[in-house]
Every structure is written in C-alpha cells, then in structure tokens.
Amino acid sequence: MTPEQIELIETSWERVEALGDAAFETFYRLLFEKAPEARALFPDDMSNQRLKLRQTLALVVSSLRKLDVLAPKVAALGARHVEYGAKPEHYPVVGEALLETLAGGLGEAWTQDVEGAWSAAYGLLSEVMIQAADSTATPAA
C-alpha cells in the first residue's frame, strides 16, 4: 500500500465512523443478502458483533502505517475465524459488502482512488487472514 492510499483510508474512515452504528448495520445487511448462509455464523443479537467490527476496522486503519505490527494481529484474527466457521470463499463476499457499505456511507467522497485504497487494504488483509486460516486448518485424514 502506498502512503497516499493509507492517507485516503484514514481520511475516509473518519467519515465512516461519524455514521455510527448505521454503517455497520448496513454492512451486515449487505453481507447476509449476498451470502444468506453466513447468517448462521453470527449471533442473533448483532450489537456486539457490530461493535467488534468497528473496533477491528479502527485498529486496522490506525495501524496501516505499521504493517509489521498489524500483520500478526490480522493473522491471529484469521486463525480465530476458522473456529467461527469462516471459509476462504467468504472473504470476497465480505469485501464486496464492505466496499458497498463504504461507497454508500461516503457518497460523493467515494472516488476511484478511495475505492482503490480500500480494495487494496482489504485484499492485503484478507490474504493474511486466509493464509493464517490455512495454516491452522487440520488436514483431512
């Protein structure tokens, strides 16, 4: 990721956070519309889950300039997601829902450059998570 992309993410994140819980409600609504089978992986009451997502994204955004510190945390998150039932094929759908949520929340501020920055960040982070998940998965006997 370039310094310019990181700056775009940091700036746009401030606007997303200002939207409050509505942005994260939108994310999960979109996710479950795109992948209804994923709904079973989450609790009925999504309020804590929305908070966790918000906190995780805030951590990611604040750590993009320190990828060496961020990568192990993201890898651990990927390993934990195996326990939750996440599979590699879920990651592209999550990315789509995230980008659509950001686009809707940012409106005119959602430019091609902002989209490219968020797409690059998600691609990088999901790759780390999938690799960590693959390394923790138990091979079939």
Side-chain angles (χ1 to χ4, degrees):
M1 296 200 58
T2 68
E4 293 80 16
Q5 288 176 315
I6 293 170
E7 180 70 29
L8 287 170
I9 289 171
E10 291 169 344
T11 302
S12 60
W13 176 247
E14 292 172 12
R15 293 181 67 158
V16 172
E17 278 204 306
L19 298 172
D21 200 45
F24 305 99
E25 288 175 357
T26 299
F27 168 79
Y28 283 108
R29 179 183 51 76
L30 290 169
L31 177 62
F32 300 148
E33 285 174 5
K34 294 173 179 302
E37 70 282 1
R39 182 62 184 99
L41 302 176
F42 294 90
D44 290 337
D45 180 357
M46 292 293 293
S47 55
N48 192 41
Q49 186 64 36
R50 289 190 303 269
L51 177 61
K52 285 181 185 180
L53 175 61
R54 185 179 194 162
Q55 291 170 337
T56 299
L57 287 173
L59 172 69
V60 166
V61 170
S62 69
S63 302
L64 284 173
R65 295 180 190 276
K66 302 170 271 183
L67 288 178
D68 57 324
V69 174
L70 179 60
K73 293 176 183 179
V74 172
L77 184 63
R80 280 196 312 274
H81 274 70
V82 172
E83 297 171 18
Y84 307 146
K87 295 181 170 57
E89 58 267 23
H90 292 137
Y91 286 86
V93 179
V94 168
E96 288 176 27
L98 177 63
L99 294 178
E100 282 185 39
T101 299
L102 294 168
L106 293 173
E108 291 181 12
W110 184 252
T111 64
Q112 285 185 332
D113 289 342
V114 172
E115 180 179 7
W118 276 99
S119 186
Y122 182 77
L124 176 69
L125 299 172
S126 64
E127 183 179 315
V128 170
M129 289 179 72
I130 291 169
Q131 287 175 355
D134 286 346
S135 70
T136 60
T138 306

